[in-house]
Amino acid sequence: MKRFLRTALDLYRSYPVTAFLVSTLTVAPATVLINLIRSDSTELQNSVFVDDPLIEISEGLSMVQSFHIESEAKIPSLWIERLGEQNAADLWAHRDGELWWQAWPEEGEPCLILQEEILDAATAGDFDPKVLKASESVRLHRGLILLFADALNRQTFDQRFSPAGVVSPPIERQCFDQLNTTTAVLWKPSAVASMAGALTPLLRSASHGCVAIEFRGRELRWIGVVASRSLREASKRLVPPDPRAFLRASLSNQAAETNQAAETNPSNALNPGEQGPLLRLQSHSARTLLGSLLNTPLIRDGLESNYGLISNLRNQLLAAPLNLQVLQNQKGPFQAAVQLDLVLPSPNPDALSSLKTVSNRLKNRGLFSKQRRFKTSKGENDGEKILWYDYKQNTKRLLGGWSWNHGSSPDAGNMSLQMTLARQPDLKMSPVFLTDAGHLQARVRPSKLHGLGLIPKTWPAPVRRAHTLGFSVKPLEGSGTSHDDWRLISGYLVLP
């Protein structure tokens, strides 16, 4: 684990934007693919044999990223460490546009991978490729040269490496097509573990992934696949995404696609001004965001025994359409508020019983409430709003609350439930929910969150200052259901 953490720190120092991107693709949609229906593994027989040395090498790697040499840019520290300052400078200056890779073995330090012909064409006076290739820290494989930190790192890699042919489905082949031609990144569970630490158990749904990346001016874009299972296990019927159209599309078009709901309800919009949400996560079902958390045995059992969240109610919550927002407070003791909107079946005695249990718990902790009931025209109970307060220095302080109502539900027979922190619930401001099965969307304003101190200082400075971050997850073309283990993800980051 120490080696994992050290590798993660090296990644953040050397390639902060890449580190953020991989973290975003795994942490931000951390539970996107939990409890999904598995594809028929017999379809793997339709995959084809792939003669690709990079795929063979990847068997012993936890993450690999491809880059193009940019001779005008600063020489990466990894080049200097593996080649020496003079050799690195010579190769970097004379091989502009060539492809190279940085790889993270399952154990050990990062590895530099170059095409062997790049070394053979070196022009430095004292540089002898034959001497370098003979080093115990170097491994040659079918036209590629792997430069490890030392002989021990190479030996550790060799123990895992088995240079055999690979039978690969379209999803994996597309990934390596990108790694062999453009900027892209592939990761596996051990890479997620090295960066996520204690959160790793919650990230099984996105523990595998591969995305193509493009920098265009101040914009960073990506598109690819995230999965809870290896890309090699994907069915042939799944159609890999074509990154060209997405990466070349205008950012305004992408923003419009991920903000269509704002046209229906202004409370959904992510505007440049102060009124838009600082963060918004929308999902066709709460399972995509909360499934892993609520099904963790320790949390599941605690919620059931302490708050009455029994199995039937938990399943209802996980199946419910969900909208989560972080909103800026213009006044009051809290800088920001959280609003969670769900749609549940009605009547729902289990949900009402659980809310009552929560109320009793909060009262026992010294909080006090203010309640308002809603009535139908016949005088029947149709909903309620409960606000919770405490006293801070003899001043009453609103902590949050919840509200449920039948009349405001978008569908007959359902109830709307809104839960809030640091603001009053208001079902009149309920957002529009996603209607496409298996879809998730997110929009974030990092610079606004950073200004409120809500983003860790350890995040790279360009990301903290970014105007907008957006991504969406949805089923791949050819999916048998909306719950396949492999999903398409696309997104963008607008840098300052």
Side-chain angles (χ1 to χ4, degrees):
M1 179 59 71
K2 290 183 178 179
R3 290 185 175 180
F4 278 151
L5 295 176
R6 186 167 62 250
T7 300
L9 290 174
D10 291 339
L11 169 62
Y12 273 98
R13 294 190 187 104
S14 302
Y15 300 98
V17 174
T18 297
F20 168 76
L21 175 59
V22 173
S23 300
T24 299
L25 297 182
T26 53
V27 177
T31 54
V32 169
L33 307 171
I34 295 297
N35 290 333
L36 305 178
I37 300 175
R38 292 182 179 273
S39 304
D40 185 358
S41 59
T42 61
E43 294 188 7
L44 292 176
Q45 63 185 355
N46 294 321
S47 300
V48 300
F49 178 83
V50 177
D51 186 23
D52 183 345
L54 190 60
I55 287 186
E56 296 173 355
I57 288 173
S58 71
E59 293 296 289
L61 302 175
S62 65
M63 186 163 70
V64 56
Q65 182 170 5
S66 56
F67 302 88
H68 285 288
I69 294 176
E70 298 180 13
S71 57
E72 296 183 357
K74 183 180 178 180
I75 302 173
S77 58
L78 182 64
W79 278 58
I80 297 174
E81 293 169 2
R82 300 292 181 266
L83 294 168
E85 187 171 358
Q86 183 58 49
N87 295 335
D90 178 71
L91 291 174
W92 190 259
H94 293 90
R95 307 298 294 188
D96 189 52
E98 297 278 3
L99 207 63
W100 65 280
W101 301 266
Q102 179 166 359
W104 288 261
E106 294 287 350
E107 294 183 13
E109 302 297 324
C111 168
L112 173 63
I113 303 177
L114 299 174
Q115 299 177 62
E116 191 174 354
E117 63 181 27
I118 291 181
L119 293 183
D120 293 338
T123 60
D126 297 331
F127 180 58
D128 187 351
K130 294 181 179 180
V131 174
L132 180 64
K133 293 177 184 180
S135 170
E136 294 185 354
S137 62
V138 172
R139 193 188 206 292
L140 300 176
H141 180 68
R142 299 183 56 199
L144 297 178
I145 180 168
L146 289 70
L147 295 92
F148 294 92
D150 50 41
L152 178 60
N153 275 264
R154 178 198 162 165
Q155 293 171 7
T156 302
F157 173 82
D158 285 344
Q159 292 172 359
R160 296 175 178 267
F161 179 57
S162 177
V166 174
V167 177
S168 181
I171 291 293
E172 186 181 43
R173 294 202 305 271
Q174 169 76 327
C175 170
F176 280 90
D177 284 345
Q178 299 303 307
L179 286 168
N180 279 306
T181 57
T182 188
T183 305
V185 58
L186 164 77
W187 69 89
K188 298 178 183 178
S190 53
V192 177
S194 69
M195 291 184 285
L199 293 177
T200 301
L202 299 179
L203 306 181
R204 294 190 305 271
S205 58
S207 57
H208 299 264
C210 182
V211 296
I213 307 168
E214 180 176 280
F215 295 88
R216 182 182 297 179
R218 296 181 178 180
E219 301 170 12
L220 169 67
R221 308 180 190 186
W222 64 87
I223 184 171
V225 175
V226 291
S228 58
R229 298 164 61 188
S230 169
L231 301 187
R232 189 159 301 166
E233 298 178 37
S235 169
K236 181 183 177 182
R237 61 177 166 78
L238 296 176
V239 180
D242 182 357
R244 292 172 296 181
F246 176 85
L247 296 178
R248 293 174 182 175
S250 67
L251 184 61
S252 59
N253 291 340
Q254 296 172 32
E257 292 178 1
T258 56
N259 204 30
Q260 288 177 347
E263 299 177 3
T264 308
N265 189 328
S267 68
N268 265 350
L270 185 58
N271 301 317
E274 297 294 335
Q275 300 305 313
L278 303 173
L279 176 149
R280 184 179 69 244
L281 288 171
Q282 296 174 287
S283 178
H284 179 261
S285 71
R287 186 181 307 276
T288 57
L289 289 174
L290 304 178
S292 178
L293 181 66
L294 295 186
N295 284 317
T296 301
L298 182 63
I299 296 177
R300 178 196 63 208
D301 297 343
L303 290 174
E304 184 168 340
S305 61
N306 295 325
Y307 299 102
L309 197 66
I310 61 177
S311 176
N312 182 54
L313 178 56
R314 186 170 64 251
N315 290 333
Q316 291 180 15
L317 289 173
L318 293 179
L322 173 146
N323 190 298
L324 175 67
Q325 298 183 82
V326 176
L327 305 151
Q328 184 172 359
N329 285 334
Q330 301 300 324
K331 57 182 179 180
F334 302 105
Q335 295 186 96
V338 178
Q339 175 180 314
L340 174 65
D341 289 270
L342 298 165
V343 178
L344 300 173
S346 179
N348 201 319
D350 291 336
L352 299 183
S353 175
S354 181
L355 289 174
K356 184 176 181 180
T357 301
V358 173
S359 293
N360 293 334
R361 288 278 179 177
L362 294 176
K363 289 178 181 178
N364 292 338
R365 289 174 178 253
L367 305 184
F368 62 95
S369 63
K370 178 180 179 181
Q371 184 177 18
R372 176 189 173 190
R373 294 188 180 276
F374 306 112
K375 301 292 184 179
T376 65
S377 57
K378 297 181 181 180
E380 299 173 343
N381 187 24
D382 192 46
E384 68 177 0
K385 176 192 287 187
I386 297 182
L387 305 180
W388 290 94
Y389 300 86
D390 72 352
Y391 274 104
K392 189 76 171 180
Q393 298 178 346
N394 297 323
T395 301
K396 185 171 70 172
R397 184 173 64 164
L398 174 65
L399 300 180
W402 59 75
S403 181
W404 65 269
N405 194 310
H406 297 299
S408 61
S409 176
D411 300 309
N414 289 339
M415 62 178 281
S416 294
L417 174 63
Q418 183 179 104
M419 308 183 77
T420 60
L421 293 173
R423 68 174 294 175
Q424 288 196 36
D426 185 359
L427 287 173
K428 294 180 181 179
M429 296 299 293
S430 293
V432 174
F433 292 91
L434 293 180
T435 58
D436 295 328
H439 283 227
L440 176 144
Q441 291 181 353
R443 296 288 303 278
V444 189
R445 292 193 294 173
S447 61
K448 294 294 184 182
L449 289 169
H450 175 59
L452 297 174
L454 300 178
I455 286 183
K457 294 182 179 180
T458 54
W459 282 28
V463 175
R464 285 184 272 125
R465 296 196 300 266
H467 300 305
T468 308
L469 165 67
F471 66 86
S472 66
V473 180
K474 59 184 179 181
L476 284 162
E477 183 180 345
S479 296
T481 72
S482 63
H483 304 296
D484 270 315
D485 290 333
W486 301 269
R487 309 283 285 279
L488 183 147
I489 185 167
S490 59
Y492 58 89
L493 181 74
V494 183
L495 301 172

